[in-house]
Amino acid sequence: MNSKFVIESTSILSFKKKVNIPSYQRPYCWGKEEIEKLLNDFKDNSEDDYYFIGNVITIKNGKYYDLIDGQQRFTTIWILCLYLYSKSRNNQLFELCYQEDSPRLHFAIRTETNNYLKALLKKVEDSSAGEDKFWKIDQFLPDENDLTNPTLMQNLNIAKSFRIIDEWIKNDIATINIKKFEKFVIEKVQFKFLVAPEGSDENNLFIQINTNGTQFQHYDILKAELINALSHDTKGEYSKKWEWATEIFYFKTDSKQEKNGIDEKVDLLLSDIINSEGGVEYFGEENEENTEKQENKFEYLISFNTILLHTLFIYSKKYKLKLPEHFNEEKLLDIFQYFRKSVEKGNLHREINAKYFIDLLAEVKEKMNSHILFKDIEKNTFSLLTENQKNYEYDDDDDDDDEVLKQQNSEFVQLQRMLYHSSNDKKQFWLGVLLDRLINNNDYSLKVLEKIDNVFSIRGNTFEIYKSYFEDSEIFLSSESLFVIENFSFTFKNFNRYWFYKVEYLLWKNYKEKLNATNNTIISRTSVEHVLPQKEEAYFQENNVKINDFGNLILITVSENSGFSAKSLLKKYEYYEKLNNPPLKMKLLFNQLEEKNLLVQDSELKKENLEVIKTILESNKMEILSLIIQHYC
């Protein structure tokens, strides 16, 4: 048996093999920046004798070669060749795309993508040269309301790539000799095609290559280890489950990947793995920064790494395993170290452990789709994603609605908005606890979410408190969480913004009818502002009006602050009246001032008015603190 890599230097013209994208690979996700960089490199180097684009690392698998590294670049070359063929009908281009009655490029678990590639080839063959937008085949692309099928989302990215190439060529047509460019791609673009020795562990090779660089996200490595633990018969099924669980995350750039010295490392790595002779040139295709924003409609509240960590804690609690000692999405593989040992070779239960975790991850994703808020990127709002939204946001004209359930569920959604916006920590510990309640207790009541929030707000939003839930959830939920005013500061310079958000939720929950605020939503606000203007602080202090106390403070957005700061009381009120979604604390205070006819120019505030204002501010403060205390009782 050959124990060395077979290394073949090849051009597009001389390449004759069929390539398969295995189940452990991420979907195709190159965008405008990466594709245009490749095209510009081709154009800028078109006078050279050859242009080396890197290595494609594979392992033989029947009639295909499973692609271990180089997927994004190879897929883009396939797309480019088909696009150029559609314009010129040069059969040499078509030969890279098609062989033996099927596409040269095949995806192991994405049947709809394989069908899309076949349909593209047929449409190009059947249509006249130069047909525009041949890639728009609706039956293989998601409509704007269907973003739940990761394979269709991959098809959409492939279609976008055709469009990007089309726009690049049309925009640069004056500086590009198309025939010359085409000849360069066919004859001078070269790569090294590496075939691993027969019997190599494909998943381990993938893991080792990508663990020794920053090419892939840590969750790609974790996925490969889990899939590697499965039998051949179940790998396809569980790869699809994982891919479904990661859908949307693959199509948003939730982190930037920095370049490193991967080129030098791979020579050593391949030698370490199989003691291959000879140096290997390497171009790490995944380690370039990906800054393009993908055109998706929804976004999760947290990163996929964070969901994996929450899932690990839920898994550990469910199966009574040792809990991780840390929670850091940037150290995902380290935190998973204990679990990863359970899916290593030699562990008798490695397959069942891998299945249980992926099944649980899919369940977490399902609960998030059903009960947890998503960010609507187009509208910049937060709402539920799936049809279960009807369980939360009812049609006011439906007389059959259960009013109690309607009110509770709308409060459940509003409380999630409050929790998300009030947290400066991307970990969102409340969400991990809620997901466990949803999965293991089917408990999505307002009462349990309020209890979760109350515990964190009183005992501290820390990893230690989060972990204590998974150590003993009943003690966590039954623990006393009384609000003691003396333990918290409510003055201008020492104010935790969390309490402003909490007040917004409690005012909306208890006063929405009184304040005519049923449609108000809790949004991100970061600027603490005075209602009675701070510029007159000396005057107010002289008259014992505490303008830096809680009664006179509100939380507003930065844009609201620009129209609010340093203005007189009357001008602030005039500005407030123009707001569609004003802070309810502001609304309550202005209502109280208006009732006493105190919305006047600052110069018109007489001493007797200041006495009334002082009373109103104190009353406002005590009324709100009373709401908080009652909520915690």
PDB file of all heavy atoms in Angstrom, residues 217-240:
ATOM      1  N   GLN A 217     -13.799  27.389  11.194  1.00  0.00           N
ATOM      2  CA  GLN A 217     -14.304  27.653  12.527  1.00  0.00           C
ATOM      3  C   GLN A 217     -14.125  26.404  13.389  1.00  0.00           C
ATOM      4  O   GLN A 217     -14.099  25.283  12.891  1.00  0.00           O
ATOM      5  CB  GLN A 217     -15.791  28.013  12.448  1.00  0.00           C
ATOM      6  CG  GLN A 217     -16.084  29.264  11.639  1.00  0.00           C
ATOM      7  CD  GLN A 217     -15.762  30.529  12.412  1.00  0.00           C
ATOM      8  OE1 GLN A 217     -15.208  30.462  13.503  1.00  0.00           O
ATOM      9  NE2 GLN A 217     -16.096  31.662  11.849  1.00  0.00           N
ATOM     10  N   HIS A 218     -14.039  26.587  14.691  1.00  0.00           N
ATOM     11  CA  HIS A 218     -13.890  25.436  15.581  1.00  0.00           C
ATOM     12  C   HIS A 218     -15.070  24.487  15.468  1.00  0.00           C
ATOM     13  O   HIS A 218     -14.928  23.283  15.675  1.00  0.00           O
ATOM     14  CB  HIS A 218     -13.732  25.926  17.021  1.00  0.00           C
ATOM     15  CG  HIS A 218     -12.368  26.466  17.299  1.00  0.00           C
ATOM     16  ND1 HIS A 218     -12.022  27.036  18.503  1.00  0.00           N
ATOM     17  CD2 HIS A 218     -11.247  26.527  16.524  1.00  0.00           C
ATOM     18  CE1 HIS A 218     -10.756  27.423  18.460  1.00  0.00           C
ATOM     19  NE2 HIS A 218     -10.279  27.129  17.279  1.00  0.00           N
ATOM     20  N   TYR A 219     -16.254  25.012  15.145  1.00  0.00           N
ATOM     21  CA  TYR A 219     -17.389  24.095  15.043  1.00  0.00           C
ATOM     22  C   TYR A 219     -17.274  23.163  13.845  1.00  0.00           C
ATOM     23  O   TYR A 219     -17.868  22.085  13.833  1.00  0.00           O
ATOM     24  CB  TYR A 219     -18.738  24.831  15.031  1.00  0.00           C
ATOM     25  CG  TYR A 219     -18.901  25.975  14.053  1.00  0.00           C
ATOM     26  CD1 TYR A 219     -18.970  25.767  12.684  1.00  0.00           C
ATOM     27  CD2 TYR A 219     -19.050  27.268  14.513  1.00  0.00           C
ATOM     28  CE1 TYR A 219     -19.159  26.805  11.805  1.00  0.00           C
ATOM     29  CE2 TYR A 219     -19.237  28.326  13.645  1.00  0.00           C
ATOM     30  CZ  TYR A 219     -19.295  28.092  12.287  1.00  0.00           C
ATOM     31  OH  TYR A 219     -19.477  29.138  11.414  1.00  0.00           O
ATOM     32  N   ASP A 220     -16.481  23.535  12.831  1.00  0.00           N
ATOM     33  CA  ASP A 220     -16.231  22.610  11.719  1.00  0.00           C
ATOM     34  C   ASP A 220     -15.399  21.421  12.188  1.00  0.00           C
ATOM     35  O   ASP A 220     -15.630  20.280  11.780  1.00  0.00           O
ATOM     36  CB  ASP A 220     -15.500  23.324  10.582  1.00  0.00           C
ATOM     37  CG  ASP A 220     -16.367  24.352   9.881  1.00  0.00           C
ATOM     38  OD1 ASP A 220     -17.474  23.995   9.472  1.00  0.00           O
ATOM     39  OD2 ASP A 220     -15.939  25.504   9.757  1.00  0.00           O
ATOM     40  N   ILE A 221     -14.412  21.703  13.042  1.00  0.00           N
ATOM     41  CA  ILE A 221     -13.587  20.634  13.585  1.00  0.00           C
ATOM     42  C   ILE A 221     -14.434  19.713  14.455  1.00  0.00           C
ATOM     43  O   ILE A 221     -14.353  18.484  14.364  1.00  0.00           O
ATOM     44  CB  ILE A 221     -12.432  21.222  14.435  1.00  0.00           C
ATOM     45  CG1 ILE A 221     -11.662  22.293  13.640  1.00  0.00           C
ATOM     46  CG2 ILE A 221     -11.516  20.108  14.909  1.00  0.00           C
ATOM     47  CD1 ILE A 221     -11.024  21.814  12.387  1.00  0.00           C
ATOM     48  N   LEU A 222     -15.267  20.310  15.310  1.00  0.00           N
ATOM     49  CA  LEU A 222     -16.136  19.513  16.176  1.00  0.00           C
ATOM     50  C   LEU A 222     -17.080  18.650  15.351  1.00  0.00           C
ATOM     51  O   LEU A 222     -17.281  17.468  15.646  1.00  0.00           O
ATOM     52  CB  LEU A 222     -16.926  20.440  17.106  1.00  0.00           C
ATOM     53  CG  LEU A 222     -17.861  19.757  18.103  1.00  0.00           C
ATOM     54  CD1 LEU A 222     -17.080  18.863  19.061  1.00  0.00           C
ATOM     55  CD2 LEU A 222     -18.665  20.806  18.890  1.00  0.00           C
ATOM     56  N   LYS A 223     -17.636  19.224  14.313  1.00  0.00           N
ATOM     57  CA  LYS A 223     -18.534  18.454  13.449  1.00  0.00           C
ATOM     58  C   LYS A 223     -17.810  17.246  12.852  1.00  0.00           C
ATOM     59  O   LYS A 223     -18.335  16.128  12.859  1.00  0.00           O
ATOM     60  CB  LYS A 223     -19.074  19.329  12.320  1.00  0.00           C
ATOM     61  CG  LYS A 223     -19.905  18.546  11.298  1.00  0.00           C
ATOM     62  CD  LYS A 223     -20.178  19.346  10.051  1.00  0.00           C
ATOM     63  CE  LYS A 223     -20.889  18.502   9.010  1.00  0.00           C
ATOM     64  NZ  LYS A 223     -21.121  19.225   7.742  1.00  0.00           N
ATOM     65  N   ALA A 224     -16.607  17.476  12.347  1.00  0.00           N
ATOM     66  CA  ALA A 224     -15.860  16.380  11.721  1.00  0.00           C
ATOM     67  C   ALA A 224     -15.596  15.264  12.720  1.00  0.00           C
ATOM     68  O   ALA A 224     -15.684  14.078  12.378  1.00  0.00           O
ATOM     69  CB  ALA A 224     -14.551  16.909  11.143  1.00  0.00           C
ATOM     70  N   GLU A 225     -15.285  15.618  13.964  1.00  0.00           N
ATOM     71  CA  GLU A 225     -15.036  14.595  14.985  1.00  0.00           C
ATOM     72  C   GLU A 225     -16.306  13.811  15.294  1.00  0.00           C
ATOM     73  O   GLU A 225     -16.264  12.578  15.469  1.00  0.00           O
ATOM     74  CB  GLU A 225     -14.503  15.258  16.256  1.00  0.00           C
ATOM     75  CG  GLU A 225     -13.101  15.814  16.087  1.00  0.00           C
ATOM     76  CD  GLU A 225     -12.580  16.515  17.327  1.00  0.00           C
ATOM     77  OE1 GLU A 225     -13.399  16.870  18.213  1.00  0.00           O
ATOM     78  OE2 GLU A 225     -11.363  16.711  17.426  1.00  0.00           O
ATOM     79  N   LEU A 226     -17.429  14.491  15.347  1.00  0.00           N
ATOM     80  CA  LEU A 226     -18.700  13.810  15.622  1.00  0.00           C
ATOM     81  C   LEU A 226     -19.088  12.888  14.469  1.00  0.00           C
ATOM     82  O   LEU A 226     -19.484  11.734  14.689  1.00  0.00           O
ATOM     83  CB  LEU A 226     -19.805  14.845  15.871  1.00  0.00           C
ATOM     84  CG  LEU A 226     -19.718  15.611  17.189  1.00  0.00           C
ATOM     85  CD1 LEU A 226     -20.634  16.816  17.172  1.00  0.00           C
ATOM     86  CD2 LEU A 226     -20.083  14.699  18.353  1.00  0.00           C
ATOM     87  N   ILE A 227     -18.985  13.395  13.244  1.00  0.00           N
ATOM     88  CA  ILE A 227     -19.351  12.579  12.077  1.00  0.00           C
ATOM     89  C   ILE A 227     -18.409  11.384  11.950  1.00  0.00           C
ATOM     90  O   ILE A 227     -18.806  10.286  11.568  1.00  0.00           O
ATOM     91  CB  ILE A 227     -19.332  13.439  10.790  1.00  0.00           C
ATOM     92  CG1 ILE A 227     -20.352  14.587  10.895  1.00  0.00           C
ATOM     93  CG2 ILE A 227     -19.626  12.575   9.568  1.00  0.00           C
ATOM     94  CD1 ILE A 227     -21.778  14.139  11.168  1.00  0.00           C
ATOM     95  N   ASN A 228     -17.146  11.578  12.296  1.00  0.00           N
ATOM     96  CA  ASN A 228     -16.167  10.507  12.235  1.00  0.00           C
ATOM     97  C   ASN A 228     -16.505   9.373  13.205  1.00  0.00           C
ATOM     98  O   ASN A 228     -16.106   8.226  13.002  1.00  0.00           O
ATOM     99  CB  ASN A 228     -14.774  11.070  12.548  1.00  0.00           C
ATOM    100  CG  ASN A 228     -13.652  10.125  12.151  1.00  0.00           C
ATOM    101  OD1 ASN A 228     -13.773   9.376  11.187  1.00  0.00           O
ATOM    102  ND2 ASN A 228     -12.565  10.157  12.899  1.00  0.00           N
ATOM    103  N   ALA A 229     -17.255   9.700  14.261  1.00  0.00           N
ATOM    104  CA  ALA A 229     -17.620   8.685  15.262  1.00  0.00           C
ATOM    105  C   ALA A 229     -18.789   7.820  14.816  1.00  0.00           C
ATOM    106  O   ALA A 229     -19.113   6.821  15.471  1.00  0.00           O
ATOM    107  CB  ALA A 229     -17.965   9.374  16.587  1.00  0.00           C
ATOM    108  N   LEU A 230     -19.431   8.175  13.710  1.00  0.00           N
ATOM    109  CA  LEU A 230     -20.647   7.487  13.267  1.00  0.00           C
ATOM    110  C   LEU A 230     -20.330   6.386  12.268  1.00  0.00           C
ATOM    111  O   LEU A 230     -19.312   6.418  11.570  1.00  0.00           O
ATOM    112  CB  LEU A 230     -21.614   8.491  12.636  1.00  0.00           C
ATOM    113  CG  LEU A 230     -22.063   9.650  13.539  1.00  0.00           C
ATOM    114  CD1 LEU A 230     -22.885  10.648  12.741  1.00  0.00           C
ATOM    115  CD2 LEU A 230     -22.855   9.132  14.728  1.00  0.00           C
ATOM    116  N   SER A 231     -21.233   5.422  12.194  1.00  0.00           N
ATOM    117  CA  SER A 231     -21.100   4.371  11.190  1.00  0.00           C
ATOM    118  C   SER A 231     -21.409   4.950   9.814  1.00  0.00           C
ATOM    119  O   SER A 231     -22.041   6.000   9.693  1.00  0.00           O
ATOM    120  CB  SER A 231     -22.075   3.231  11.494  1.00  0.00           C
ATOM    121  OG  SER A 231     -23.420   3.688  11.369  1.00  0.00           O
ATOM    122  N   HIS A 232     -20.947   4.276   8.797  1.00  0.00           N
ATOM    123  CA  HIS A 232     -21.144   4.755   7.428  1.00  0.00           C
ATOM    124  C   HIS A 232     -22.635   4.949   7.123  1.00  0.00           C
ATOM    125  O   HIS A 232     -23.012   5.901   6.442  1.00  0.00           O
ATOM    126  CB  HIS A 232     -20.527   3.759   6.441  1.00  0.00           C
ATOM    127  CG  HIS A 232     -20.712   4.155   5.002  1.00  0.00           C
ATOM    128  ND1 HIS A 232     -19.967   5.159   4.415  1.00  0.00           N
ATOM    129  CD2 HIS A 232     -21.579   3.693   4.057  1.00  0.00           C
ATOM    130  CE1 HIS A 232     -20.363   5.292   3.152  1.00  0.00           C
ATOM    131  NE2 HIS A 232     -21.329   4.416   2.917  1.00  0.00           N
ATOM    132  N   ASP A 233     -23.486   4.072   7.649  1.00  0.00           N
ATOM    133  CA  ASP A 233     -24.921   4.128   7.346  1.00  0.00           C
ATOM    134  C   ASP A 233     -25.613   5.346   7.932  1.00  0.00           C
ATOM    135  O   ASP A 233     -26.674   5.754   7.436  1.00  0.00           O
ATOM    136  CB  ASP A 233     -25.625   2.861   7.873  1.00  0.00           C
ATOM    137  CG  ASP A 233     -25.185   1.615   7.129  1.00  0.00           C
ATOM    138  OD1 ASP A 233     -24.639   1.768   6.011  1.00  0.00           O
ATOM    139  OD2 ASP A 233     -25.374   0.503   7.664  1.00  0.00           O
ATOM    140  N   THR A 234     -25.050   5.927   8.993  1.00  0.00           N
ATOM    141  CA  THR A 234     -25.734   7.047   9.652  1.00  0.00           C
ATOM    142  C   THR A 234     -25.049   8.390   9.425  1.00  0.00           C
ATOM    143  O   THR A 234     -25.573   9.421   9.841  1.00  0.00           O
ATOM    144  CB  THR A 234     -25.833   6.797  11.171  1.00  0.00           C
ATOM    145  OG1 THR A 234     -24.511   6.623  11.705  1.00  0.00           O
ATOM    146  CG2 THR A 234     -26.664   5.571  11.470  1.00  0.00           C
ATOM    147  N   LYS A 235     -23.884   8.394   8.791  1.00  0.00           N
ATOM    148  CA  LYS A 235     -23.166   9.658   8.591  1.00  0.00           C
ATOM    149  C   LYS A 235     -23.991  10.665   7.789  1.00  0.00           C
ATOM    150  O   LYS A 235     -24.027  11.852   8.125  1.00  0.00           O
ATOM    151  CB  LYS A 235     -21.827   9.405   7.893  1.00  0.00           C
ATOM    152  CG  LYS A 235     -20.751   8.888   8.826  1.00  0.00           C
ATOM    153  CD  LYS A 235     -19.400   8.763   8.130  1.00  0.00           C
ATOM    154  CE  LYS A 235     -18.341   8.291   9.133  1.00  0.00           C
ATOM    155  NZ  LYS A 235     -17.011   8.160   8.518  1.00  0.00           N
ATOM    156  N   GLY A 236     -24.626  10.207   6.729  1.00  0.00           N
ATOM    157  CA  GLY A 236     -25.418  11.114   5.899  1.00  0.00           C
ATOM    158  C   GLY A 236     -26.557  11.752   6.672  1.00  0.00           C
ATOM    159  O   GLY A 236     -26.770  12.968   6.627  1.00  0.00           O
ATOM    160  N   GLU A 237     -27.296  10.926   7.422  1.00  0.00           N
ATOM    161  CA  GLU A 237     -28.445  11.411   8.194  1.00  0.00           C
ATOM    162  C   GLU A 237     -28.019  12.469   9.211  1.00  0.00           C
ATOM    163  O   GLU A 237     -28.639  13.530   9.329  1.00  0.00           O
ATOM    164  CB  GLU A 237     -29.107  10.236   8.908  1.00  0.00           C
ATOM    165  CG  GLU A 237     -30.242  10.648   9.844  1.00  0.00           C
ATOM    166  CD  GLU A 237     -30.694   9.501  10.747  1.00  0.00           C
ATOM    167  OE1 GLU A 237     -30.244   8.351  10.526  1.00  0.00           O
ATOM    168  OE2 GLU A 237     -31.484   9.764  11.671  1.00  0.00           O
ATOM    169  N   TYR A 238     -26.946  12.184   9.946  1.00  0.00           N
ATOM    170  CA  TYR A 238     -26.546  13.107  11.012  1.00  0.00           C
ATOM    171  C   TYR A 238     -25.777  14.310  10.475  1.00  0.00           C
ATOM    172  O   TYR A 238     -25.780  15.370  11.112  1.00  0.00           O
ATOM    173  CB  TYR A 238     -25.765  12.354  12.093  1.00  0.00           C
ATOM    174  CG  TYR A 238     -26.705  11.656  13.037  1.00  0.00           C
ATOM    175  CD1 TYR A 238     -27.185  10.379  12.757  1.00  0.00           C
ATOM    176  CD2 TYR A 238     -27.175  12.295  14.169  1.00  0.00           C
ATOM    177  CE1 TYR A 238     -28.087   9.751  13.601  1.00  0.00           C
ATOM    178  CE2 TYR A 238     -28.076  11.684  15.023  1.00  0.00           C
ATOM    179  CZ  TYR A 238     -28.528  10.405  14.740  1.00  0.00           C
ATOM    180  OH  TYR A 238     -29.431   9.811  15.567  1.00  0.00           O
ATOM    181  N   SER A 239     -25.148  14.178   9.320  1.00  0.00           N
ATOM    182  CA  SER A 239     -24.548  15.346   8.675  1.00  0.00           C
ATOM    183  C   SER A 239     -25.637  16.339   8.292  1.00  0.00           C
ATOM    184  O   SER A 239     -25.482  17.555   8.450  1.00  0.00           O
ATOM    185  CB  SER A 239     -23.759  14.939   7.436  1.00  0.00           C
ATOM    186  OG  SER A 239     -22.620  14.181   7.789  1.00  0.00           O
ATOM    187  N   LYS A 240     -26.744  15.824   7.792  1.00  0.00           N
ATOM    188  CA  LYS A 240     -27.863  16.702   7.430  1.00  0.00           C
ATOM    189  C   LYS A 240     -28.465  17.367   8.663  1.00  0.00           C
ATOM    190  O   LYS A 240     -28.849  18.538   8.632  1.00  0.00           O
ATOM    191  CB  LYS A 240     -28.935  15.900   6.685  1.00  0.00           C
ATOM    192  CG  LYS A 240     -28.531  15.499   5.274  1.00  0.00           C
ATOM    193  CD  LYS A 240     -29.622  14.703   4.585  1.00  0.00           C
ATOM    194  CE  LYS A 240     -29.225  14.314   3.178  1.00  0.00           C
ATOM    195  NZ  LYS A 240     -30.269  13.512   2.501  1.00  0.00           N
TER     196      LYS A 240
END
